[in-house]
Amino acid sequence: MERKTISAHEINKYSYCPYQWYYERLYGRKELRRLYHERNEALALEDSLAANFNKGLEFHQRDYSRLRLQRLVWKIGLALIVIAVIIGYFFIRNGASF
C-alpha cells in the first residue's frame, strides 16, 4: 500500500535534492542501493562511502602526529611567554636590573 502523506524527513530530502527524493519514492531506497552497487561494479568504481572513510583514516594516520607536535609547540611557546611575563613583572616590581 502506497503512503499518501509526506513526512518532514521527505520534505528535507526534497529541499536538498528533488531528484533524489523522487527516485527514492519511485523505486525505493533498497532498489536504488542495489542499482548503485551494480553500476559501480560495472564501472570498476569503489564504493564512495567506504573510499571516503578509508581516505579519512589514511589522512589521520599520516598527519595526526604532525598535528600533535604543532599543538605541543604552541603550548610550550605559550608557557614560555607566560613565564617570561611573570619573571619580567617580578623584576620590574622589585626594581631589579639586568
Side-chain angles (χ1 to χ4, degrees), residues 1 11 21 27 30 32 34 41 43 50 62 72 76 79 86 89-92 97-98:
M1 182 171 148
I11 292 171
W21 173 83
Y27 295 110
K30 187 175 183 179
L32 288 176
R34 186 189 67 76
E41 286 176 2
L43 297 174
R62 182 179 62 241
L72 181 63
I76 290 172
I86 291 172
Y89 173 76
F90 283 118
F91 271 113
I92 291 172
S97 62
F98 294 96

Side-chain angles (χ1 to χ4, degrees), residues 66-79:
R66 183 182 56 83
L67 291 172
R68 286 185 63 193
L69 181 61
Q70 281 180 338
R71 288 181 183 161
L72 181 63
V73 168
W74 274 101
K75 288 177 184 178
I76 290 172
L78 184 61

Side-chain angles (χ1 to χ4, degrees), residues 3-97:
R3 293 183 335 201
K4 299 206 188 271
T5 59
I6 297 175
S7 69
H9 179 70
E10 287 182 293
I11 292 171
N12 187 29
K13 276 190 171 186
Y14 180 83
S15 66
Y16 179 73
C17 180
Y19 295 109
Q20 178 186 7
W21 173 83
Y22 172 76
Y23 286 118
E24 192 170 302
R25 290 256 314 173
L26 183 64
Y27 295 110
R29 186 177 297 165
K30 187 175 183 179
E31 178 65 12
L32 288 176
R33 284 186 183 153
R34 186 189 67 76
L35 291 171
Y36 173 77
H37 289 295
E38 190 176 284
R39 180 204 63 188
N40 284 351
E41 286 176 2
L43 297 174
L45 298 173
E46 297 179 352
D47 179 22
S48 65
L49 293 176
N52 288 339
F53 182 75
N54 289 335
K55 286 178 187 174
L57 285 177
E58 290 172 8
F59 170 79
H60 287 289
Q61 288 172 351
R62 182 179 62 241
D63 294 339
Y64 185 64
S65 60
R66 183 182 56 83
L67 291 172
R68 286 185 63 193
L69 181 61
Q70 281 180 338
R71 288 181 183 161
L72 181 63
V73 168
W74 274 101
K75 288 177 184 178
I76 290 172
L78 184 61
L80 290 174
I81 290 172
V82 169
I83 291 170
V85 168
I86 291 172
I87 291 173
Y89 173 76
F90 283 118
F91 271 113
I92 291 172
R93 185 171 181 200
N94 294 330
S97 62

